[in-house]
Amino acid sequence: MNARIEKRDNSLLVPENPVIPFIEGDGIGKEITPAVREIIDAAVRKAYEGRRAIEWREVLAGEKAWRETGSWLPDETMTLLRENLVAIKGPLTTPVGEGIRSLNVTLRQTLDLYACQRPVRWFRGVPSPVLHPERVNMCIFRENTEDIYAGIEWMSGSDEAKKFYRFLSEEMGVSKVRFPDTSAFGVKPVSVEGTERIVRAAISYALDMGMPSVTIVHKGNIMKYTEGGFKKWGYALAEREFGDKVFTFSRYESLRKEHGEQVAAGALSEARSAGKLIIKDIITDAFLQNSLLKPEDYSVIVTLNLNGDYISDQLAAMVGGIGISPGANINYVTGHAIFEATHGTAPDMAGKGIANPCSLLLSAVMMLEYLGWTKPATMITESLEMVFTQGYATPDLANMVTGGKALTTNEFAQRLITML
């Protein structure tokens, strides 16, 4: 009997045959989504010997929804996503010049999917532009609902922009806008509550997974009250809610100022020896450099929305590109989660049967793990690495490797299924 996934007492209740809505996606979504569903079905069937199966239910969004219903994001779709908690989607086209600003952002904000979770690791056999991609093993927690993605901005020359500048100038005494007559304006909200829940999620994940550190990445040296607040509130949350399980660099700095460098260093060394989770921070530009030079120094990253956008794509490039980079948008309180391909619709590639399904596939693996179905998730991950090691891949990766064997989307899916 098919049933909905439910959230009770901080846990997901997952039936043997859960209903999971899926959005096919635009462009290459039509090719990668069926391939991924076939792989997932095969892995679940083999792992549980037919006792479990996903009941896929298509919901509409994007160009397909527009053609069939006249809406880019129908109300029925949002209703089913709310009711069924867990969903997966292919890449979506954002309407240009009309309609909502971004379908992806709208989904995240409407369902309050505040945590964008992006694990980044290297698979043997995948080409990389860095010398030691095997040293990259991080998980990014990107705050998903605030920062400039809140979409609060006014166009240059508009009445709203002029009104906003008058408020800044006359009411707030701001005199640093160099060219007020032609300036556009945007507002960057960062809250205590938004900060605390994403930092809480990152620390909880790190403790559950046995990771050594959580790094707060911010630009607080310039934006002292927004990104600086993110750092300050993150440290405070860590110390208040996680106590002896963590050692924060804010504590380190306090010890250094009061008792000197030697005492602070000793406390840090003792915390590491005791297996405590280290909470540290770094300025965004320094992190972008350090993640290339010594990625092994970082495990879980927690950051704001715009920083997270840049960081997750750079780290993905280090291990082979966003074509094999998964992602999830999660509300850990309500249980709502949408797992998604992190790349675009690639219209130039659509219809050719050569699209790489791995971003969506690995997002589906994250979905299985979120459901607690770890056995088929592990089977897929191990089989994927075996296929890559043998030189098989879709053309985007195969053509970058000497002796690479290029497969179509469907051929790649079938080879992976045989490996299960």
Side-chain angles (χ1 to χ4, degrees):
M1 180 178 178
N2 304 321
R4 293 176 183 168
I5 299 166
E6 297 181 6
K7 181 77 183 290
R8 291 184 192 168
D9 301 325
N10 296 320
S11 298
L12 283 183
L13 298 181
V14 182
E16 299 287 88
N17 300 91
V19 173
I20 295 186
F22 73 93
I23 297 171
E24 181 182 68
D26 301 323
I28 59 172
K30 299 174 185 177
E31 297 155 62
I32 63 175
T33 298
V36 167
R37 287 173 51 204
E38 187 175 0
I39 295 167
I40 296 300
D41 286 343
V44 170
R45 185 167 55 249
K46 186 171 181 63
Y48 300 118
E49 299 179 339
R51 296 189 306 275
R52 293 179 178 177
I54 292 172
E55 176 67 22
W56 301 102
R57 183 169 299 174
E58 184 174 11
V59 294
L60 299 179
E63 291 179 341
K64 187 173 184 179
W66 176 255
R67 289 195 306 270
E68 295 189 15
T69 71
S71 170
W72 290 94
L73 187 59
D75 292 341
E76 182 183 2
T77 293
M78 293 308 306
T79 298
L80 288 170
L81 293 178
R82 286 191 183 95
E83 291 177 348
N84 291 283
L85 293 188
V86 178
I88 189 165
K89 74 174 191 66
L92 292 176
T93 299
T94 294
V96 177
E98 62 177 335
I100 54 183
R101 296 168 63 91
S102 165
L103 291 168
N104 294 324
V105 172
T106 299
L107 286 168
R108 294 166 192 166
Q109 293 186 343
T110 303
L111 295 172
D112 197 23
L113 305 176
Y114 62 84
C116 178
Q117 186 179 336
R118 295 276 298 271
V120 182
R121 57 152 288 187
W122 180 66
F123 287 88
R124 286 180 297 121
V126 174
S128 167
V130 299
L131 186 60
H132 290 291
E134 73 279 1
R135 296 177 183 173
V136 180
N137 185 13
M138 303 183 212
C139 188
I140 304 149
F141 279 76
R142 167 189 173 191
E143 203 292 317
N144 231 356
T145 63
E146 299 191 315
D147 200 1
I148 64 169
Y149 283 74
I152 307 170
E153 59 176 354
W154 300 280
M155 184 172 60
S156 169
S158 67
D159 291 340
E160 293 84 359
K162 293 173 183 177
K163 183 177 181 180
F164 185 70
Y165 175 69
R166 284 198 301 271
F167 170 76
L168 290 179
S169 176
E170 297 170 10
E171 300 292 330
M172 303 299 291
V174 173
S175 59
K176 295 181 180 179
V177 181
R178 181 159 295 183
F179 304 109
D181 291 341
T182 60
S183 290
F185 294 96
V187 176
K188 176 188 178 78
V190 178
S191 69
V192 174
E193 294 90 341
T195 296
E196 288 184 344
R197 64 183 185 174
I198 191 67
V199 173
R200 183 183 296 115
I203 293 175
S204 298
Y205 174 87
L207 289 170
D208 289 344
M209 300 299 291
M211 306 290 269
S213 68
V214 171
T215 304
I216 301 170
V217 181
H218 62 93
K219 198 63 177 154
N221 58 327
I222 303 298
M223 292 168 276
K224 299 183 184 297
Y225 303 121
T226 51
E227 305 227 357
F230 184 78
K231 167 193 167 182
K232 180 179 72 173
W233 302 326
Y235 274 136
L237 180 282
E239 293 170 355
R240 184 176 69 249
E241 293 193 7
F242 293 92
D244 290 340
K245 295 179 181 179
V246 304
F247 182 86
T248 68
F249 264 57
S250 58
R251 172 65 176 158
Y252 177 93
E253 284 300 312
S254 296
L255 289 172
R256 187 182 63 81
K257 290 176 182 177
E258 293 178 18
H259 305 290
E261 187 71 42
Q262 187 173 356
V263 170
L268 175 59
S269 178
E270 183 179 335
R272 283 179 169 147
S273 298
K276 292 186 178 182
L277 179 67
I278 306 303
I279 313 294
K280 53 188 177 177
D281 76 278
I282 188 172
I283 301 298
T284 306
D285 41 319
F287 173 79
L288 292 171
Q289 173 181 252
N290 288 356
S291 60
L292 284 165
L293 298 177
K294 42 184 180 180
E296 64 274 13
D297 285 357
Y298 304 99
S299 52
V300 176
I301 307 302
V302 61
T303 190
L304 284 164
N305 215 332
L306 184 61
N307 293 334
D309 203 354
Y310 299 148
I311 288 168
S312 50
D313 279 9
Q314 176 188 293
L315 295 180
M318 293 166 63
V319 296
I322 59 174
I324 57 169
S325 175
N329 302 287
I330 302 172
N331 184 316
Y332 290 96
V333 178
T334 66
H336 285 97
I338 296 180
F339 298 83
E340 64 180 357
T342 60
H343 52 71
T345 59
D348 58 322
M349 194 182 297
K352 299 179 181 179
I354 57 173
N356 185 347
C358 289
S359 174
L360 187 61
L361 176 62
L362 290 170
S363 298
V365 167
M366 292 178 69
M367 183 187 74
L368 292 173
E369 293 170 341
Y370 186 69
L371 299 178
W373 293 11
T374 55
K375 186 174 181 180
T378 300
M379 289 169 57
I380 292 170
T381 302
E382 291 177 349
S383 299
L384 186 61
E385 190 155 43
M386 290 171 62
V387 171
F388 285 144
T389 303
Q390 294 172 357
Y392 292 102
T394 47
D396 58 317
L397 295 179
N399 293 341
M400 297 170 62
V401 181
T402 302
K405 307 172 186 70
L407 302 175
T408 67
T409 307
N410 188 57
E411 288 171 345
F412 182 82
Q414 297 308 314
R415 179 163 290 273
L416 184 56
I417 288 170
T418 63
M419 288 290 183
L420 293 173

